[in-house]
Amino acid sequence: MRIALLTVLVTACTTLPEVEGLEAQLQGKDYEGCTSSGCGDNGAVVDGSDISWFRLDHNPYKGIRYLHFATSQWNMNHGIFADNLDIKGNILRFGGPITWQTGPALLNTVIRVAVEKPTEPLRRYDIQIAGVYEDTPYWTQAFSGFAESYRFTWTALTPEDDTPERGELCPMDVSDDPWWNRAYRAVVFEGEKIDNETRNITSTGTADYVAPFNIACFGGLPAKQELARRTSASATVDGMYHTTIADDRQNLARAWAAEYCGGGESFTHQGHKLRIKDRHQWLSIPKLGWTEDDELSPDFQFEAVWSDGRAICVDTPRLAVTDPNIPPDPEIFDRIRSVCNLPPPCTGQSWFPKSWALHGDFATATFGAQDVLP
């Protein structure tokens, strides 16, 4: 998985004097905590129903069933369907198999779905591709192209209503920074499922017309994986960026979610700022990582090194740090200890910080108001 592995994890609960001091400083401070829907899942929804994982084989998933595809709302309304929607890697397309329509040809096309809930009547929705964009750069140091993203809107099919319900699949999230936020946008990709609730990654099929795919709203973990070129769909550019789920995509998902103990419990909050480095040195240092000079700043805090599906060492959890958007959590250390033995501190390890990449896939840190990505 990496050049060298840290083969022994400390199982005793270790508390350093400086950690105790930090905990004491956090006592008495207010902390809102994670919402009932989780810590920053930020998934795509149609009228409140999760549609982040979309199946093209007409079988339901979480109550949502794909019905038809049409090239316009007029065609959909007149029953002129074209069930030839497909995804190739991270690009939506229709038509084929000889001639595929992509990019601008997708604008205003319509996907009809049914939402089936046990205690409610079946409802149908038309999802329109309201925007197709090619202006979001991948988060790599060397320029490696732009991600194609989409804006999806939905309309409830309720003929008896004069004003049917309408909405956006993805939440509003605007920034002037071209590296990150775009209002209402999502990337899509096939080949693996990234569960918004568990952060588990599993391989999936890629067959034409039937392969399922992720609808990954900007700000959510699946979109971060895609833009970091840590999906099978985005990994290959001129033979670069090859990884696997075990090496190292799952570790990145755990790092984004602050799953210090491994899969299952997330210790982060939507909107919290984070710095991250990868052992391959593919990710952009100015936009995502940090320099040795940054480490000298009083605002800089090492967080953790990530390997084998968890943090192998932890200095300062991100929720223990005053963030521009999120107040510190006074009980973060106790909350981690309630789930697992707190990993040993990174500071003090013979290989840290100079040689952390020999022991882990990723290192994380916080850096005050200079952070870019949530």
Side-chain angles (χ1 to χ4, degrees):
M1 182 180 294
R2 54 192 60 82
I3 299 172
L5 290 173
L6 181 65
T7 56
V8 179
L9 296 178
V10 176
T11 57
C13 183
T14 305
T15 306
L16 294 182
E18 55 263 39
V19 174
E20 291 176 346
L22 177 58
E23 290 186 80
Q25 294 173 33
L26 290 172
Q27 295 303 318
K29 294 191 176 182
D30 295 329
Y31 176 67
E32 186 174 312
C34 296
T35 64
S36 59
S37 62
C39 298
D41 52 17
N42 211 21
V45 294
V46 53
D47 200 10
S49 297
D50 182 8
I51 198 171
S52 298
W53 182 244
F54 191 72
R55 297 187 62 151
L56 283 173
D57 60 3
H58 301 283
N59 288 313
Y61 180 77
K62 290 190 175 181
I64 295 181
R65 184 192 299 271
Y66 166 53
L67 298 178
H68 307 294
F69 172 77
T71 55
S72 70
Q73 189 66 63
W74 190 93
N75 283 351
M76 183 68 79
N77 291 339
H78 288 80
I80 305 174
F81 305 138
D83 285 327
N84 53 8
L85 181 64
D86 185 48
I87 182 168
K88 180 65 172 178
N90 47 21
I91 301 294
L92 286 176
R93 60 184 186 175
F94 66 94
I98 298 175
T99 302
W100 292 101
Q101 302 293 315
T102 61
L106 288 158
L107 195 61
N108 297 321
T109 58
V110 181
I111 304 166
R112 180 162 290 179
V113 301
V115 176
E116 305 165 345
K117 296 183 179 180
T119 60
E120 300 178 13
L122 183 144
R123 299 194 69 184
R124 293 180 302 155
Y125 297 84
D126 280 353
I127 298 170
Q128 188 173 60
I129 299 179
V132 181
Y133 312 95
E134 297 179 340
D135 60 354
T136 302
Y138 283 99
W139 297 347
T140 51
Q141 289 205 64
F143 177 72
S144 59
F146 294 92
E148 183 160 295
S149 61
Y150 308 88
R151 181 178 182 177
F152 299 95
T153 60
W154 58 264
T155 302
L157 299 182
T158 50
E160 67 277 8
D161 295 341
D162 293 332
T163 56
E165 296 176 80
R166 303 177 187 275
E168 301 275 348
L169 251 61
C170 291
M172 178 74 169
D173 203 355
V174 178
S175 170
D176 292 332
D177 187 344
W179 277 73
W180 185 229
N181 296 327
R182 286 288 186 266
Y184 306 117
R185 293 195 195 179
V187 289
V188 300
F189 58 94
E190 65 177 351
E192 58 208 47
K193 177 184 178 183
I194 303 178
D195 192 295
N196 267 319
E197 297 177 0
T198 66
R199 281 76 61 182
N200 291 336
I201 305 174
T202 52
S203 295
T204 59
T206 59
D208 290 351
Y209 303 118
V210 295
F213 61 92
N214 300 271
I215 300 177
C217 295
F218 282 20
L221 186 147
K224 294 176 183 179
Q225 295 284 110
E226 170 71 12
L227 294 176
R229 290 206 177 275
R230 257 52 185 214
T231 67
S232 58
S234 67
T236 303
V237 178
D238 298 328
M240 298 174 63
Y241 309 117
H242 176 70
T243 62
T244 66
I245 294 173
D247 178 21
D248 54 7
R249 299 178 206 155
Q250 187 66 74
N251 283 334
L252 181 56
R254 302 298 181 214
W256 289 126
E259 293 185 338
Y260 306 111
C261 301
E265 188 73 22
S266 174
F267 297 96
T268 191
H269 195 285
Q270 181 69 28
H272 206 287
K273 305 298 182 180
L274 182 69
R275 292 285 178 173
I276 192 161
K277 281 187 176 183
D278 63 326
R279 66 183 173 93
H280 294 296
Q281 301 183 44
W282 292 340
L283 296 179
S284 168
I285 294 296
K287 289 295 183 180
L288 292 166
W290 64 87
T291 66
E292 290 186 1
D293 288 343
D294 293 333
E295 296 175 14
L296 302 177
S297 169
D299 294 329
F300 183 87
Q301 297 281 349
F302 283 112
E303 183 189 38
V305 174
W306 302 85
S307 175
D308 300 330
R310 58 171 294 163
I312 59 172
C313 66
V314 176
D315 268 9
T316 304
R318 68 193 68 167
L319 289 184
V321 177
T322 299
D323 181 86
N325 299 321
I326 308 298
D329 179 356
E331 300 184 1
I332 183 60
F333 290 94
D334 288 338
R335 292 205 295 123
I336 297 171
R337 292 190 189 103
S338 72
V339 177
C340 67
N341 292 314
L342 186 69
C346 299
T347 300
Q349 301 294 327
S350 61
W351 44 266
F352 186 86
K354 298 295 184 182
S355 301
W356 71 262
L358 299 178
H359 298 266
D361 287 332
F362 300 93
T364 52
T366 53
F367 193 16
Q370 299 182 49
D371 292 339
V372 176
L373 302 182

